Amino acid sequence: MDELSYILNELGEHRDEYFRAVAPPIVQTSNFAFSKVADLRKSFEDEYSTWLYSRGLNPTVEILRKKLAALDEAEDCLVFNSGAAAIFAAVLANVKSGDHIISVKNPYTWAVKMFEVILPRFNVTVTYVDGTLTENFAKAIRPNTTLIYLESPNSWFYELQDLRAVAALAKEHGIVTIIDNSYCTPLYQKPITMGIDLSLQSATKYISGHSDTVAGVLTGNRAMIERIFNSEYMNIGSGIQPFNAWLLIRGLRTLQARLERITRTTWELVRFLQQHPRVEKLIFPLDPSFPQYELARSQMTGACGLLTFYLKAEKGSTIETFCESLQHILMAVSWGGYESLILPKCAGMPPEAFDAADPAHRSLRLYVGLEEPDYLLADLSRGFEAIADLS
Ligand SMILES: *Cc1c(COP(=O)(O)O)cnc(C)c1O
């Protein structure tokens, strides 16, 4: 495997070809000109091997693809204009009418919408399983199962699947495996090396790292990625634009440094929250209290900045007061940027549906960004003080 610093700083870059510029150019062009008909003909025959039109290949995007493939230790990579587009292309490429998918329960919202709104129109069915037990996948396999869809950890409660075991099971049955690896990034989990066929992630999160672009990554073996390029990628037309690719290359330069900083701060916040009397429980996959801690240690080398904690509260309004009292931690979806974020589960339901007896209703997802730890600790304390007299 290439060294990380080489991948982030050099791989895919040809500085002699562009004025020895240290930062690569944004090749902001829709098409490419030819001087020989024979060359043009060749590119029509095989668009995956030459510059023809930027809905297909583009030189700035090429640099990014090489780096992202290497990070995953995968043969090849496509970069999309969103993580959702990567999910859509990967799934669509592996099903036809009459097929059956096994998905881990509660995958990302837009994976669910694809499974429940779009695929049934094409007679593709989905079974959801509790992925914490590999035998649940085995039990759900039918003769027409072509795909197993994973997300490990997921992005609220962090349930894991045993990636090596599920990959081995799927191979036995000739079933393709896809994982959403957004939580860990390829720095902290490399599903392809554990036998998973296709690994995808929302690059909007840590790869961009600055909350200023939306993008998605899909990696796998050359044959499968080339097949997806020639059909779903070109047809959906959701490839990343050169400028956004350039932003992601810039994000990659600091990925390792950002993740290290975020990890250090996250542990400080984990310890603070765990001892706080208003916190009932905290979920973080690399904390020894996590139910699948051993599995996490065996397949992840880091966990970064996303955690969930349960507030002790009888009323939904108490949770709302806590969130609204924070002055620096922003209330927003997404994660992976420079800024810390809070997201209360109860925002996803009408206030009258709040049930304090259901711990999930009292859960808050915290994303830890790049701020000084003390700045964040003081902000969380502000939230706790605001609800000190509230039940
Ligand atoms: C954000 C996210 C996605 C979707 O990515 P977009 O870039 O927003 O399209 C997919 N999976 C997970 C786990 C995510 O958090």
Side-chain angles (χ1 to χ4, degrees):
M1 187 214 152
D2 287 322
E3 284 172 79
L4 184 55
S5 296
Y6 171 74
I7 296 170
L8 301 181
N9 295 343
E10 292 155 71
L11 179 64
E13 299 181 64
H14 304 283
R15 295 181 171 116
D16 285 343
E17 291 175 14
Y18 38 81
F19 318 109
R20 290 173 286 104
V22 169
I26 303 166
V27 184
Q28 191 73 25
T29 186
S30 58
N31 50 356
F32 299 84
F34 293 78
S35 47
K36 299 279 181 221
V37 172
D39 291 341
L40 182 58
R41 183 177 297 123
K42 218 171 116 224
S43 81
F44 284 147
E45 284 164 2
D46 179 13
E47 191 166 350
Y48 201 47
S49 64
T50 181
W51 319 124
L52 171 68
Y53 187 61
S54 281
R55 175 155 45 79
L57 301 184
N58 171 279
T60 307
V61 177
E62 186 84 359
I63 296 171
L64 179 64
R65 288 177 54 216
K66 291 221 164 91
K67 290 180 189 295
L68 290 168
L71 286 180
D72 259 346
E73 296 186 44
E75 286 175 11
D76 209 349
C77 164
L78 291 172
V79 190
F80 293 81
N81 220 16
S82 71
I87 294 172
F88 197 82
V91 171
L92 202 62
N94 286 291
V95 291
K96 59 179 187 325
S97 176
D99 284 349
H100 172 245
I101 297 172
I102 303 170
S103 170
V104 66
K105 72 175 160 70
N106 302 322
Y108 182 67
T109 322
W110 290 95
V112 175
K113 300 234 179 179
M114 174 171 199
F115 294 152
E116 306 212 330
V117 180
I118 297 179
L119 293 184
R121 302 207 315 251
F122 302 95
N123 192 26
V124 173
T125 53
V126 181
T127 303
Y128 297 100
V129 298
D130 173 354
T132 58
L133 293 174
T134 303
E135 67 201 57
N136 291 342
F137 290 98
K139 282 186 210 146
I141 293 175
R142 299 180 193 165
N144 59 339
T145 304
T146 56
L147 185 64
I148 292 181
Y149 186 88
L150 308 172
E151 186 179 326
S152 181
N154 79 15
S155 63
W156 257 100
F157 300 113
Y158 319 114
E159 286 110 353
L160 310 183
Q161 299 95 60
D162 183 333
L163 300 186
R164 293 181 183 91
V166 176
L169 172 75
K171 280 208 165 62
E172 247 175 66
H173 294 267
I175 297 169
V176 171
T177 44
I178 300 178
I179 184 173
D180 183 334
N181 193 35
S182 299
Y183 182 89
C184 276
T185 85
L187 259 55
Y188 291 157
Q189 181 166 272
K190 296 184 189 292
I192 300 282
T193 68
M194 292 183 249
I196 300 295
D197 294 311
L198 289 168
S199 180
L200 62 87
Q201 60 177 313
S202 166
T204 313
K205 313 290 164 54
Y206 291 112
I207 305 286
S208 152
H210 294 76
S211 304
D212 53 12
T213 188
V214 174
V217 183
L218 177 66
T219 62
N221 73 40
R222 171 101 33 191
M224 205 180 276
I225 293 291
E226 179 167 358
R227 182 165 63 80
I228 294 173
F229 172 84
N230 282 315
S231 55
E232 288 77 15
Y233 184 87
M234 289 301 293
N235 229 235
I236 301 169
S238 55
I240 193 167
Q241 292 292 305
F243 176 64
N244 286 2
W246 185 88
L247 285 173
L248 294 189
I249 293 168
R250 188 166 72 150
L252 282 177
R253 309 289 193 203
T254 57
L255 179 64
Q256 186 187 24
R258 284 185 284 110
L259 294 189
E260 282 174 9
R261 159 82 176 199
I262 287 167
T263 297
R264 270 202 308 280
T265 310
T266 300
W267 280 112
E268 284 199 42
L269 269 55
V270 164
R271 285 185 206 106
F272 169 79
L273 288 167
Q274 276 176 331
Q275 56 75 44
H276 200 283
R278 288 304 291 264
V279 174
E280 180 176 294
K281 188 179 153 187
L282 179 143
I283 318 178
F284 186 59
L286 284 185
D287 187 78
S289 69
F290 185 68
Q292 295 174 289
Y293 174 67
E294 292 302 329
L295 179 60
R297 292 262 314 234
S298 76
Q299 59 189 24
M300 298 160 51
T301 55
C304 318
L306 206 59
L307 59 96
T308 295
F309 62 97
Y310 301 100
L311 269 189
K312 287 181 193 160
E314 282 162 28
K315 300 195 189 112
S317 59
T318 302
I319 293 168
E320 294 183 18
T321 302
F322 178 87
C323 293
E324 290 168 10
S325 304
L326 303 174
Q327 286 179 12
H328 303 303
I329 299 170
L330 305 175
M331 192 168 18
V333 297
S334 197
W335 42 276
Y338 61 91
E339 78 291 11
S340 294
L341 304 169
I342 193 109
L343 188 63
K345 196 79 173 171
C346 64
M349 61 188 77
E352 59 277 12
F354 180 83
D355 176 10
D358 183 344
H361 289 202
R362 294 182 280 108
S363 67
L364 295 122
R365 191 179 76 177
L366 177 67
Y367 166 66
V368 181
L370 293 167
E371 301 92 335
E372 290 288 326
D374 286 347
Y375 188 70
L376 298 174
L377 290 170
D379 209 27
L380 289 170
S381 298
R382 191 175 288 119
F384 286 120
E385 272 158 36
I387 62 165
D389 298 325
L390 304 176
S391 59

